[in-house]
Every structure is written in structure tokens, then in C-alpha cells.
Amino acid sequence: MAGIWTVIPAAGRGTRFGGDLPKQYLQVGGQTVLAHTLAALFAHEAVEGAIIVLSAEDADWPGWSDFEGKPLQTCVGGATRAESVLAGLRALPEQVRGDDFVLVHDAARPNLSRTDLAALLERGRADPVGAILAAPVRDTLKRAGDDGGIDGTESRERLWRAFTPQLFRRLQLSRALEHAAQAGIDVTDEAMAMERQGLRPLLIEGAESNFKITTPADLARFEFELQRRPAR
Ligand code: C5P
């Protein structure tokens, strides 16, 4: 089977985190968050290369052209995550055909496990549309009123939280993201763009430990997770 390319959106400004350094360049356990993310993806033999989508103002990109022996390319992203992913899909090497599956994975999600990535690739590639890693909602959901009081309780039945990686065919995903952009809808993940096309991606339950680094507390959590990892 042909190798899989990954689009890694890393063009966000990370305003929730504070500080000047984009969160993918923060150091944890002797390397950047981005290096951990790449190592997690490239640990699977089917992952062939990655395109990192950078902000035009990015002054911290280390200029790598490969990582652990697999090729890396870069391109410039857009104002939203969806625009950045679309830019990445357009910049993929020509060898990636329209009907080839590609992965999209947040730069700031470094704690992806081998088991989850393997499950996504195996079950997602067997699905006609593709798949995403996700986890069921376990907390009770409250809808807030303007005054901060609770207006009501929402059912959590059949609700899932969408993670990345997400796995779709290159051309179908590009078209879905283009259609959403034309309609002026800011899709917050790739699956949402596919759903708008009437397609039904598969949900694959993944570990809660595949969290996105958003706040300083998440960085401390990742540091803790790294220390718990068995030595390779
Ligand atoms: O901001 P958020 O945490 O949702 O971003 C998720 C991922 O999307 C991050 O890796 C971020 O760098 C990326 N992103 C992007 N282009 C944007 C906004 C976010 O590549 N305009």
C-alpha cells in the first residue's frame, strides 16, 4: 500500500497560551512539541512524510527538510485552521494522488499513541470516507446564560469530542474545505467539512491522553506523560 502523507497545521497564533513563542516550539523533555508530534506520526511505518503549515511570520521554524529519515516540506498557512489545512493539501507532493488518504494532525497534539494511530490507519483506510480519533463526552453538559447562570442541561448521549489525526482522501477533503470556505463557514475540523458534503466519517475511540496543548497546564501534563513513558 502507498505511504501516507500528513498535513500538520502549525500556523496558529496560540493566543490562549500567551507568550511570543508559538506553542509547537516550546521545549519539553529536551525537544520541541513539534518534534514530539513528528516522532509520534513517523513511528508508524505507513507514514511517509509531512507538510508543516507555517505562519508567514514564523521566525522559529528550524528549517528541517527531513525528520527521522522521512521528508518534511513547508508551506504558508491562512487566517483560519481550515485555510491552513487547505494550503497544506495544495502543497502536497505530486506523487500524492487525489484518491490517496492523507492524515491531518495538529502540531500542538504531541502525545498521540502508536496504538491510536495504527487503529485510525487500519480502520479509516477500510472506510469509504475516512475516520477521526475521538472520545465520548463523559461530563455533564451545561448551557450557560449571559449572566453566568445555568440555563439548562444538555444531553451528552452520543456526543463525542473530535481529536486529530483525521484521515480523508486528498481530493475529497480539498473539495469539502473549498465548499465550506465558499459558503463562509469556518469549519473547526476536517470531519465537519466532510459532513457538510453529506458524508459520514467513522468515529474511532482514542485515548484521552491525545490532548491538544492549549494552556500552560497542558504543557505540564505533557511533561508528566513523557516521564511516564516506558524507555524505548
Ligand atoms: O488554535 P487551535 O489550538 O485550535 O489550533 C489547532 C492547530 O491548528 C494548531 O496546530 C495551530 O497552529 C493550527 N492553526 C493553523 N492556522 C490557523 C489557526 C490554527 O495552522 N490560522
Short mmCIF file of all heavy atoms in Angstrom, two decimals, residues 99-170:
data_model
loop_
_atom_site.label_atom_id
_atom_site.label_comp_id
_atom_site.label_asym_id
_atom_site.label_seq_id
_atom_site.Cartn_x
_atom_site.Cartn_y
_atom_site.Cartn_z
N ASP A 99 -7.06 10.34 -4.83
CA ASP A 99 -7.82 9.39 -4.01
C ASP A 99 -6.96 8.75 -2.91
O ASP A 99 -7.43 7.87 -2.20
CB ASP A 99 -8.53 8.34 -4.87
CG ASP A 99 -7.55 7.50 -5.66
OD1 ASP A 99 -6.34 7.83 -5.66
OD2 ASP A 99 -7.98 6.50 -6.26
N ASP A 100 -5.74 9.22 -2.74
CA ASP A 100 -4.92 8.72 -1.61
C ASP A 100 -5.42 9.33 -0.30
O ASP A 100 -5.80 10.50 -0.26
CB ASP A 100 -3.44 9.15 -1.78
CG ASP A 100 -2.70 8.31 -2.80
OD1 ASP A 100 -3.23 7.24 -3.19
OD2 ASP A 100 -1.60 8.73 -3.22
N PHE A 101 -5.36 8.52 0.75
CA PHE A 101 -5.68 9.05 2.07
C PHE A 101 -4.53 9.92 2.57
O PHE A 101 -3.35 9.61 2.33
CB PHE A 101 -5.90 7.91 3.06
CG PHE A 101 -7.29 7.33 3.00
CD1 PHE A 101 -7.51 6.04 2.50
CD2 PHE A 101 -8.38 8.05 3.46
CE1 PHE A 101 -8.79 5.50 2.45
CE2 PHE A 101 -9.66 7.52 3.42
CZ PHE A 101 -9.88 6.25 2.91
N VAL A 102 -4.88 11.01 3.26
CA VAL A 102 -3.87 11.83 3.95
C VAL A 102 -4.32 12.02 5.40
O VAL A 102 -5.52 12.00 5.69
CB VAL A 102 -3.67 13.22 3.29
CG1 VAL A 102 -3.08 13.10 1.90
CG2 VAL A 102 -4.97 14.01 3.23
N LEU A 103 -3.35 12.21 6.28
CA LEU A 103 -3.66 12.49 7.68
C LEU A 103 -3.58 13.99 7.89
O LEU A 103 -2.74 14.66 7.27
CB LEU A 103 -2.62 11.85 8.59
CG LEU A 103 -2.64 10.34 8.77
CD1 LEU A 103 -1.31 9.87 9.37
CD2 LEU A 103 -3.80 9.91 9.66
N VAL A 104 -4.43 14.53 8.75
CA VAL A 104 -4.27 15.90 9.22
C VAL A 104 -4.12 15.82 10.73
O VAL A 104 -4.94 15.18 11.40
CB VAL A 104 -5.49 16.78 8.85
CG1 VAL A 104 -5.30 18.20 9.38
CG2 VAL A 104 -5.71 16.80 7.34
N HIS A 105 -3.05 16.42 11.26
CA HIS A 105 -2.81 16.31 12.70
C HIS A 105 -2.28 17.63 13.25
O HIS A 105 -1.33 18.21 12.70
CB HIS A 105 -1.80 15.18 12.96
CG HIS A 105 -1.58 14.89 14.42
ND1 HIS A 105 -2.60 14.63 15.29
CD2 HIS A 105 -0.44 14.83 15.16
CE1 HIS A 105 -2.11 14.41 16.52
NE2 HIS A 105 -0.81 14.54 16.46
N ASP A 106 -2.88 18.10 14.34
CA ASP A 106 -2.45 19.36 14.97
C ASP A 106 -0.99 19.29 15.42
O ASP A 106 -0.59 18.33 16.09
CB ASP A 106 -3.29 19.64 16.23
CG ASP A 106 -4.74 19.92 15.92
OD1 ASP A 106 -5.03 20.44 14.83
OD2 ASP A 106 -5.59 19.62 16.79
N ALA A 107 -0.25 20.35 15.13
CA ALA A 107 1.15 20.42 15.59
C ALA A 107 1.22 20.36 17.11
O ALA A 107 2.19 19.85 17.68
CB ALA A 107 1.77 21.74 15.11
N ALA A 108 0.18 20.88 17.75
CA ALA A 108 0.18 21.01 19.21
C ALA A 108 -0.45 19.79 19.90
O ALA A 108 -0.94 19.90 21.02
CB ALA A 108 -0.56 22.28 19.60
N ARG A 109 -0.46 18.64 19.24
CA ARG A 109 -1.02 17.42 19.84
C ARG A 109 0.08 16.34 19.82
O ARG A 109 0.06 15.43 18.99
CB ARG A 109 -2.24 16.99 19.02
CG ARG A 109 -3.41 16.48 19.86
CD ARG A 109 -4.56 16.10 18.94
NE ARG A 109 -5.56 17.12 18.79
CZ ARG A 109 -6.57 17.32 19.63
NH1 ARG A 109 -6.73 16.56 20.67
NH2 ARG A 109 -7.44 18.28 19.41
N PRO A 110 1.06 16.48 20.73
CA PRO A 110 2.28 15.65 20.64
C PRO A 110 2.19 14.27 21.27
O PRO A 110 3.11 13.48 21.13
CB PRO A 110 3.30 16.50 21.41
CG PRO A 110 2.48 17.20 22.45
CD PRO A 110 1.14 17.47 21.82
N ASN A 111 1.09 13.98 21.96
CA ASN A 111 1.07 12.75 22.76
C ASN A 111 0.23 11.62 22.14
O ASN A 111 -0.37 10.82 22.84
CB ASN A 111 0.57 13.06 24.18
CG ASN A 111 1.07 12.05 25.19
OD1 ASN A 111 2.20 11.55 25.09
ND2 ASN A 111 0.23 11.69 26.15
N LEU A 112 0.20 11.61 20.81
CA LEU A 112 -0.53 10.57 20.08
C LEU A 112 0.15 9.22 20.28
O LEU A 112 1.37 9.11 20.12
CB LEU A 112 -0.52 10.96 18.60
CG LEU A 112 -0.97 9.92 17.58
CD1 LEU A 112 -2.46 9.65 17.71
CD2 LEU A 112 -0.64 10.42 16.17
N SER A 113 -0.63 8.19 20.62
CA SER A 113 -0.02 6.88 20.85
C SER A 113 0.07 6.07 19.55
O SER A 113 -0.71 6.27 18.62
CB SER A 113 -0.82 6.10 21.90
OG SER A 113 -2.01 5.61 21.32
N ARG A 114 1.00 5.13 19.55
CA ARG A 114 1.15 4.24 18.38
C ARG A 114 -0.12 3.45 18.15
O ARG A 114 -0.53 3.22 17.02
CB ARG A 114 2.25 3.22 18.66
CG ARG A 114 3.63 3.77 18.57
CD ARG A 114 4.60 2.78 19.19
NE ARG A 114 5.91 3.40 19.27
CZ ARG A 114 6.96 2.98 18.58
NH1 ARG A 114 6.88 1.94 17.80
NH2 ARG A 114 8.10 3.61 18.67
N THR A 115 -0.73 3.00 19.24
CA THR A 115 -1.95 2.17 19.13
C THR A 115 -3.07 2.94 18.46
O THR A 115 -3.76 2.42 17.58
CB THR A 115 -2.43 1.78 20.56
OG1 THR A 115 -1.30 1.67 21.40
CG2 THR A 115 -3.24 0.53 20.55
N ASP A 116 -3.27 4.21 18.86
CA ASP A 116 -4.35 5.00 18.28
C ASP A 116 -4.09 5.30 16.80
O ASP A 116 -5.00 5.24 15.98
CB ASP A 116 -4.53 6.33 19.05
CG ASP A 116 -5.30 6.13 20.35
OD1 ASP A 116 -5.69 4.98 20.63
OD2 ASP A 116 -5.49 7.12 21.07
N LEU A 117 -2.84 5.65 16.48
CA LEU A 117 -2.51 5.94 15.08
C LEU A 117 -2.70 4.68 14.23
O LEU A 117 -3.29 4.75 13.13
CB LEU A 117 -1.08 6.46 14.98
CG LEU A 117 -0.57 6.79 13.58
CD1 LEU A 117 -1.48 7.79 12.86
CD2 LEU A 117 0.86 7.35 13.63
N ALA A 118 -2.28 3.54 14.75
CA ALA A 118 -2.43 2.29 14.00
C ALA A 118 -3.91 1.96 13.79
O ALA A 118 -4.32 1.55 12.68
CB ALA A 118 -1.72 1.15 14.74
N ALA A 119 -4.73 2.17 14.81
CA ALA A 119 -6.17 1.88 14.69
C ALA A 119 -6.82 2.80 13.66
O ALA A 119 -7.63 2.36 12.83
CB ALA A 119 -6.85 2.04 16.05
N LEU A 120 -6.44 4.08 13.70
CA LEU A 120 -7.01 5.04 12.75
C LEU A 120 -6.64 4.66 11.31
O LEU A 120 -7.49 4.68 10.41
CB LEU A 120 -6.49 6.45 13.07
CG LEU A 120 -6.95 7.54 12.10
CD1 LEU A 120 -8.43 7.86 12.26
CD2 LEU A 120 -6.14 8.82 12.27
N LEU A 121 -5.38 4.30 11.10
CA LEU A 121 -4.95 3.97 9.74
C LEU A 121 -5.60 2.68 9.26
O LEU A 121 -6.01 2.58 8.10
CB LEU A 121 -3.42 3.85 9.69
CG LEU A 121 -2.69 5.20 9.76
CD1 LEU A 121 -1.19 5.00 9.90
CD2 LEU A 121 -2.99 6.05 8.53
N GLU A 122 -5.71 1.71 10.14
CA GLU A 122 -6.26 0.43 9.72
C GLU A 122 -7.77 0.52 9.45
O GLU A 122 -8.24 0.16 8.38
CB GLU A 122 -5.98 -0.62 10.80
CG GLU A 122 -6.18 -2.02 10.28
CD GLU A 122 -5.91 -3.06 11.35
OE1 GLU A 122 -4.95 -2.88 12.11
OE2 GLU A 122 -6.69 -4.03 11.40
N ARG A 123 -8.50 1.08 10.40
CA ARG A 123 -9.96 1.12 10.24
C ARG A 123 -10.38 2.25 9.31
O ARG A 123 -11.36 2.13 8.57
CB ARG A 123 -10.63 1.24 11.60
CG ARG A 123 -10.38 -0.01 12.45
CD ARG A 123 -11.03 0.07 13.80
NE ARG A 123 -12.44 0.37 13.73
CZ ARG A 123 -13.14 0.93 14.72
NH1 ARG A 123 -12.55 1.24 15.85
NH2 ARG A 123 -14.43 1.17 14.57
N GLY A 124 -9.66 3.36 9.34
CA GLY A 124 -10.00 4.51 8.49
C GLY A 124 -9.80 4.22 7.01
O GLY A 124 -10.61 4.60 6.17
N ARG A 125 -8.72 3.49 6.70
CA ARG A 125 -8.46 3.19 5.28
C ARG A 125 -9.41 2.14 4.73
O ARG A 125 -9.55 1.99 3.53
CB ARG A 125 -7.00 2.76 5.07
CG ARG A 125 -6.05 3.95 5.13
CD ARG A 125 -4.66 3.61 4.66
NE ARG A 125 -3.94 2.82 5.63
CZ ARG A 125 -2.67 2.45 5.48
NH1 ARG A 125 -2.00 2.80 4.40
NH2 ARG A 125 -2.06 1.74 6.40
N ALA A 126 -10.09 1.43 5.65
CA ALA A 126 -11.08 0.44 5.21
C ALA A 126 -12.46 1.08 5.04
O ALA A 126 -13.40 0.44 4.57
CB ALA A 126 -11.15 -0.70 6.24
N ASP A 127 -12.59 2.34 5.43
CA ASP A 127 -13.87 3.05 5.33
C ASP A 127 -13.91 3.83 4.02
O ASP A 127 -12.89 4.41 3.63
CB ASP A 127 -14.01 4.02 6.53
CG ASP A 127 -15.38 4.66 6.61
OD1 ASP A 127 -15.63 5.65 5.87
OD2 ASP A 127 -16.21 4.16 7.40
N PRO A 128 -15.06 3.89 3.34
CA PRO A 128 -15.08 4.63 2.07
C PRO A 128 -14.79 6.12 2.23
O PRO A 128 -14.22 6.75 1.33
CB PRO A 128 -16.50 4.40 1.54
CG PRO A 128 -17.27 3.76 2.64
CD PRO A 128 -16.31 3.18 3.63
N VAL A 129 -15.16 6.72 3.37
CA VAL A 129 -14.98 8.16 3.57
C VAL A 129 -13.69 8.49 4.31
O VAL A 129 -12.92 9.38 3.92
CB VAL A 129 -16.19 8.74 4.36
CG1 VAL A 129 -15.96 10.23 4.65
CG2 VAL A 129 -17.48 8.56 3.58
N GLY A 130 -13.44 7.77 5.42
CA GLY A 130 -12.30 8.07 6.27
C GLY A 130 -12.76 8.09 7.72
O GLY A 130 -13.88 7.69 8.03
N ALA A 131 -11.89 8.56 8.61
CA ALA A 131 -12.19 8.44 10.03
C ALA A 131 -11.45 9.49 10.84
O ALA A 131 -10.50 10.12 10.34
CB ALA A 131 -11.79 7.04 10.52
N ILE A 132 -11.88 9.64 12.09
CA ILE A 132 -11.18 10.54 13.02
C ILE A 132 -11.03 9.84 14.37
O ILE A 132 -11.83 8.97 14.71
CB ILE A 132 -11.93 11.88 13.22
CG1 ILE A 132 -13.20 11.72 14.08
CG2 ILE A 132 -12.33 12.50 11.88
CD1 ILE A 132 -13.79 13.05 14.53
N LEU A 133 -10.02 10.25 15.12
CA LEU A 133 -9.93 9.82 16.52
C LEU A 133 -10.80 10.75 17.34
O LEU A 133 -10.86 11.96 17.07
CB LEU A 133 -8.48 9.89 17.01
CG LEU A 133 -7.53 8.82 16.50
CD1 LEU A 133 -6.13 9.06 17.06
CD2 LEU A 133 -8.01 7.41 16.85
N ALA A 134 -11.47 10.20 18.34
CA ALA A 134 -12.39 10.99 19.15
C ALA A 134 -12.65 10.26 20.46
O ALA A 134 -12.25 9.10 20.60
CB ALA A 134 -13.71 11.20 18.40
N ALA A 135 -13.29 10.95 21.40
CA ALA A 135 -13.63 10.30 22.67
C ALA A 135 -15.02 10.73 23.10
O ALA A 135 -15.40 11.90 22.88
CB ALA A 135 -12.61 10.66 23.75
N PRO A 136 -15.79 9.82 23.71
CA PRO A 136 -17.13 10.19 24.14
C PRO A 136 -17.09 11.25 25.25
O PRO A 136 -16.15 11.28 26.05
CB PRO A 136 -17.73 8.89 24.70
CG PRO A 136 -16.68 7.85 24.60
CD PRO A 136 -15.44 8.43 24.02
N VAL A 137 -18.09 12.13 25.27
CA VAL A 137 -18.20 13.13 26.33
C VAL A 137 -18.59 12.41 27.62
O VAL A 137 -19.52 11.61 27.63
CB VAL A 137 -19.27 14.19 25.95
CG1 VAL A 137 -19.59 15.08 27.14
CG2 VAL A 137 -18.79 15.01 24.76
N ARG A 138 -17.83 12.65 28.69
CA ARG A 138 -18.11 11.95 29.95
C ARG A 138 -18.66 12.88 31.03
O ARG A 138 -19.20 12.41 32.03
CB ARG A 138 -16.84 11.28 30.46
CG ARG A 138 -16.25 10.32 29.43
CD ARG A 138 -15.55 9.15 30.08
NE ARG A 138 -14.80 8.38 29.09
CZ ARG A 138 -15.29 7.39 28.37
NH1 ARG A 138 -16.56 7.03 28.52
NH2 ARG A 138 -14.53 6.74 27.50
N ASP A 139 -18.48 14.19 30.86
CA ASP A 139 -19.01 15.13 31.86
C ASP A 139 -20.44 15.52 31.51
O ASP A 139 -20.86 15.40 30.35
CB ASP A 139 -18.14 16.40 31.89
CG ASP A 139 -16.72 16.11 32.33
OD1 ASP A 139 -16.54 15.40 33.34
OD2 ASP A 139 -15.78 16.56 31.64
N THR A 140 -21.16 16.02 32.51
CA THR A 140 -22.50 16.56 32.26
C THR A 140 -22.35 17.93 31.62
O THR A 140 -21.49 18.73 32.02
CB THR A 140 -23.28 16.64 33.58
OG1 THR A 140 -23.40 15.31 34.09
CG2 THR A 140 -24.66 17.23 33.38
N LEU A 141 -23.16 18.20 30.61
CA LEU A 141 -23.01 19.44 29.83
C LEU A 141 -24.04 20.48 30.24
O LEU A 141 -25.23 20.21 30.24
CB LEU A 141 -23.19 19.12 28.33
CG LEU A 141 -22.15 18.20 27.72
CD1 LEU A 141 -22.52 17.87 26.28
CD2 LEU A 141 -20.77 18.85 27.76
N LYS A 142 -23.57 21.68 30.55
CA LYS A 142 -24.44 22.78 30.95
C LYS A 142 -24.43 23.87 29.90
O LYS A 142 -23.37 24.20 29.36
CB LYS A 142 -23.94 23.39 32.28
CG LYS A 142 -23.87 22.42 33.43
CD LYS A 142 -25.24 21.91 33.81
CE LYS A 142 -25.18 20.97 35.00
NZ LYS A 142 -26.46 20.27 35.22
N ARG A 143 -25.60 24.44 29.63
CA ARG A 143 -25.63 25.62 28.75
C ARG A 143 -25.70 26.86 29.64
O ARG A 143 -26.55 26.96 30.52
CB ARG A 143 -26.83 25.56 27.81
CG ARG A 143 -26.89 26.78 26.88
CD ARG A 143 -27.79 26.56 25.69
NE ARG A 143 -27.39 25.41 24.89
CZ ARG A 143 -26.46 25.45 23.92
NH1 ARG A 143 -25.82 26.56 23.64
NH2 ARG A 143 -26.19 24.36 23.23
N ALA A 144 -24.75 27.79 29.41
CA ALA A 144 -24.66 28.99 30.26
C ALA A 144 -25.54 30.11 29.73
O ALA A 144 -25.66 30.30 28.51
CB ALA A 144 -23.21 29.45 30.32
N GLY A 145 -26.12 30.86 30.62
CA GLY A 145 -26.84 32.08 30.25
C GLY A 145 -25.87 33.25 30.23
O GLY A 145 -24.71 33.11 30.64
N ASP A 146 -26.33 34.42 29.76
CA ASP A 146 -25.46 35.60 29.68
C ASP A 146 -24.91 36.01 31.05
O ASP A 146 -23.83 36.57 31.15
CB ASP A 146 -26.23 36.79 29.09
CG ASP A 146 -26.47 36.58 27.60
OD1 ASP A 146 -25.72 35.79 27.00
OD2 ASP A 146 -27.41 37.19 27.07
N ASP A 147 -25.69 35.75 32.10
CA ASP A 147 -25.28 36.17 33.46
C ASP A 147 -24.39 35.14 34.15
O ASP A 147 -24.07 35.28 35.32
CB ASP A 147 -26.54 36.39 34.31
CG ASP A 147 -27.38 35.12 34.43
OD1 ASP A 147 -27.06 34.12 33.73
OD2 ASP A 147 -28.33 35.10 35.22
N GLY A 148 -24.00 34.07 33.43
CA GLY A 148 -23.15 33.04 34.03
C GLY A 148 -23.94 31.98 34.78
O GLY A 148 -23.37 30.99 35.25
N GLY A 149 -25.24 32.16 34.89
CA GLY A 149 -26.08 31.12 35.50
C GLY A 149 -26.36 30.01 34.50
O GLY A 149 -26.16 30.18 33.29
N ILE A 150 -26.83 28.88 35.01
CA ILE A 150 -27.11 27.74 34.12
C ILE A 150 -28.53 27.86 33.55
O ILE A 150 -29.50 27.97 34.28
CB ILE A 150 -26.97 26.41 34.90
CG1 ILE A 150 -25.51 26.21 35.36
CG2 ILE A 150 -27.44 25.23 34.06
CD1 ILE A 150 -25.31 25.01 36.27
N ASP A 151 -28.59 27.85 32.22
CA ASP A 151 -29.89 27.88 31.55
C ASP A 151 -30.50 26.49 31.44
O ASP A 151 -31.71 26.34 31.34
CB ASP A 151 -29.75 28.47 30.13
CG ASP A 151 -29.85 29.99 30.14
OD1 ASP A 151 -30.19 30.55 31.21
OD2 ASP A 151 -29.58 30.60 29.09
N GLY A 152 -29.62 25.48 31.40
CA GLY A 152 -30.17 24.13 31.27
C GLY A 152 -29.07 23.10 31.12
O GLY A 152 -27.88 23.45 31.07
N THR A 153 -29.46 21.85 31.08
CA THR A 153 -28.53 20.73 30.94
C THR A 153 -28.77 20.07 29.59
O THR A 153 -29.91 19.81 29.23
CB THR A 153 -28.75 19.72 32.09
OG1 THR A 153 -28.51 20.40 33.32
CG2 THR A 153 -27.81 18.53 31.99
N GLU A 154 -27.67 19.87 28.86
CA GLU A 154 -27.76 19.25 27.54
C GLU A 154 -27.50 17.75 27.66
O GLU A 154 -26.69 17.34 28.50
CB GLU A 154 -26.71 19.85 26.60
CG GLU A 154 -26.74 21.36 26.49
CD GLU A 154 -27.87 21.86 25.61
OE1 GLU A 154 -28.26 21.11 24.68
OE2 GLU A 154 -28.34 22.98 25.84
N SER A 155 -28.13 16.99 26.82
CA SER A 155 -27.86 15.56 26.84
C SER A 155 -26.46 15.29 26.28
O SER A 155 -26.06 15.88 25.28
CB SER A 155 -28.88 14.83 25.99
OG SER A 155 -28.45 13.49 25.80
N ARG A 156 -25.72 14.41 26.94
CA ARG A 156 -24.39 14.07 26.41
C ARG A 156 -24.44 12.76 25.62
O ARG A 156 -23.41 12.28 25.13
CB ARG A 156 -23.37 13.97 27.55
CG ARG A 156 -23.63 12.80 28.47
CD ARG A 156 -22.66 12.77 29.61
NE ARG A 156 -23.07 11.73 30.55
CZ ARG A 156 -22.72 11.69 31.82
NH1 ARG A 156 -21.97 12.63 32.32
NH2 ARG A 156 -23.12 10.72 32.60
N GLU A 157 -25.64 12.23 25.52
CA GLU A 157 -25.79 10.95 24.82
C GLU A 157 -25.32 11.08 23.38
O GLU A 157 -25.71 12.01 22.66
CB GLU A 157 -27.28 10.57 24.84
CG GLU A 157 -27.51 9.10 24.71
CD GLU A 157 -29.00 8.78 24.61
OE1 GLU A 157 -29.81 9.61 25.07
OE2 GLU A 157 -29.34 7.75 24.05
N ARG A 158 -24.47 10.17 22.96
CA ARG A 158 -23.95 10.11 21.59
C ARG A 158 -23.11 11.33 21.19
O ARG A 158 -22.93 11.60 20.00
CB ARG A 158 -25.08 9.89 20.59
CG ARG A 158 -25.77 8.55 20.85
CD ARG A 158 -26.30 7.95 19.60
NE ARG A 158 -27.61 8.43 19.27
CZ ARG A 158 -28.20 8.22 18.11
NH1 ARG A 158 -27.56 7.55 17.17
NH2 ARG A 158 -29.38 8.67 17.88
N LEU A 159 -22.64 12.10 22.19
CA LEU A 159 -21.75 13.23 21.87
C LEU A 159 -20.30 12.80 22.05
O LEU A 159 -19.94 12.14 23.03
CB LEU A 159 -22.04 14.42 22.78
CG LEU A 159 -23.29 15.22 22.48
CD1 LEU A 159 -23.33 16.47 23.35
CD2 LEU A 159 -23.36 15.62 21.01
N TRP A 160 -19.48 13.19 21.09
CA TRP A 160 -18.06 12.85 21.09
C TRP A 160 -17.23 14.12 20.94
O TRP A 160 -17.68 15.08 20.34
CB TRP A 160 -17.74 11.90 19.92
CG TRP A 160 -18.29 10.52 20.12
CD1 TRP A 160 -19.61 10.18 20.21
CD2 TRP A 160 -17.54 9.31 20.25
NE1 TRP A 160 -19.71 8.82 20.39
CE2 TRP A 160 -18.46 8.26 20.42
CE3 TRP A 160 -16.17 9.02 20.23
CZ2 TRP A 160 -18.06 6.94 20.58
CZ3 TRP A 160 -15.78 7.70 20.38
CH2 TRP A 160 -16.71 6.67 20.55
N ARG A 161 -16.00 14.08 21.46
CA ARG A 161 -15.06 15.18 21.26
C ARG A 161 -14.10 14.78 20.15
O ARG A 161 -13.51 13.70 20.21
CB ARG A 161 -14.29 15.45 22.55
CG ARG A 161 -15.22 16.00 23.64
CD ARG A 161 -14.47 16.34 24.90
NE ARG A 161 -13.87 15.13 25.45
CZ ARG A 161 -12.59 15.02 25.80
NH1 ARG A 161 -11.77 16.03 25.64
NH2 ARG A 161 -12.15 13.90 26.31
N ALA A 162 -13.98 15.64 19.15
CA ALA A 162 -13.14 15.31 17.99
C ALA A 162 -11.68 15.61 18.27
O ALA A 162 -11.35 16.71 18.73
CB ALA A 162 -13.62 16.10 16.78
N PHE A 163 -10.81 14.66 18.03
CA PHE A 163 -9.36 14.84 18.14
C PHE A 163 -8.78 14.85 16.73
O PHE A 163 -9.50 14.76 15.73
CB PHE A 163 -8.72 13.67 18.90
CG PHE A 163 -9.20 13.46 20.33
CD1 PHE A 163 -8.99 12.23 20.96
CD2 PHE A 163 -9.81 14.47 21.05
CE1 PHE A 163 -9.39 12.02 22.28
CE2 PHE A 163 -10.22 14.26 22.38
CZ PHE A 163 -10.00 13.03 22.99
N THR A 164 -7.46 14.91 16.66
CA THR A 164 -6.75 14.57 15.43
C THR A 164 -5.76 13.46 15.81
O THR A 164 -5.49 13.31 17.02
CB THR A 164 -5.99 15.78 14.83
OG1 THR A 164 -4.87 16.10 15.64
CG2 THR A 164 -6.90 16.97 14.65
N PRO A 165 -5.22 12.70 14.88
CA PRO A 165 -5.34 12.84 13.44
C PRO A 165 -6.74 12.52 12.91
O PRO A 165 -7.50 11.79 13.52
CB PRO A 165 -4.34 11.81 12.88
CG PRO A 165 -3.50 11.38 14.00
CD PRO A 165 -4.27 11.63 15.24
N GLN A 166 -7.00 13.13 11.72
CA GLN A 166 -8.19 12.82 10.95
C GLN A 166 -7.70 12.35 9.58
O GLN A 166 -6.71 12.87 9.06
CB GLN A 166 -9.08 14.06 10.84
CG GLN A 166 -9.44 14.61 12.24
CD GLN A 166 -10.68 15.48 12.28
OE1 GLN A 166 -11.22 15.86 11.23
NE2 GLN A 166 -11.15 15.78 13.48
N LEU A 167 -8.38 11.35 9.03
CA LEU A 167 -7.89 10.67 7.82
C LEU A 167 -8.92 10.76 6.70
O LEU A 167 -10.03 10.22 6.85
CB LEU A 167 -7.63 9.20 8.17
CG LEU A 167 -7.13 8.31 7.05
CD1 LEU A 167 -5.62 8.49 6.87
CD2 LEU A 167 -7.43 6.84 7.35
N PHE A 168 -8.57 11.44 5.61
CA PHE A 168 -9.50 11.56 4.48
C PHE A 168 -8.73 11.49 3.18
O PHE A 168 -7.50 11.58 3.17
CB PHE A 168 -10.27 12.89 4.57
CG PHE A 168 -11.17 12.96 5.77
CD1 PHE A 168 -10.89 13.83 6.81
CD2 PHE A 168 -12.26 12.12 5.88
CE1 PHE A 168 -11.69 13.85 7.95
CE2 PHE A 168 -13.07 12.13 7.02
CZ PHE A 168 -12.79 13.01 8.04
N ARG A 169 -9.48 11.33 2.07
CA ARG A 169 -8.83 11.31 0.76
C ARG A 169 -8.50 12.75 0.35
O ARG A 169 -9.30 13.67 0.57
CB ARG A 169 -9.75 10.65 -0.27
CG ARG A 169 -9.99 9.19 0.03
CD ARG A 169 -10.88 8.55 -1.02
NE ARG A 169 -11.34 7.25 -0.59
CZ ARG A 169 -10.66 6.12 -0.74
NH1 ARG A 169 -9.48 6.14 -1.34
NH2 ARG A 169 -11.15 4.98 -0.32
N ARG A 170 -7.33 12.91 -0.25
CA ARG A 170 -6.81 14.25 -0.55
C ARG A 170 -7.83 15.13 -1.30
O ARG A 170 -8.13 16.24 -0.87
CB ARG A 170 -5.52 14.14 -1.37
CG ARG A 170 -4.94 15.47 -1.74
CD ARG A 170 -3.74 15.37 -2.67
NE ARG A 170 -3.14 16.68 -2.90
CZ ARG A 170 -2.04 16.89 -3.60
NH1 ARG A 170 -1.39 15.87 -4.13
NH2 ARG A 170 -1.58 18.10 -3.76
#
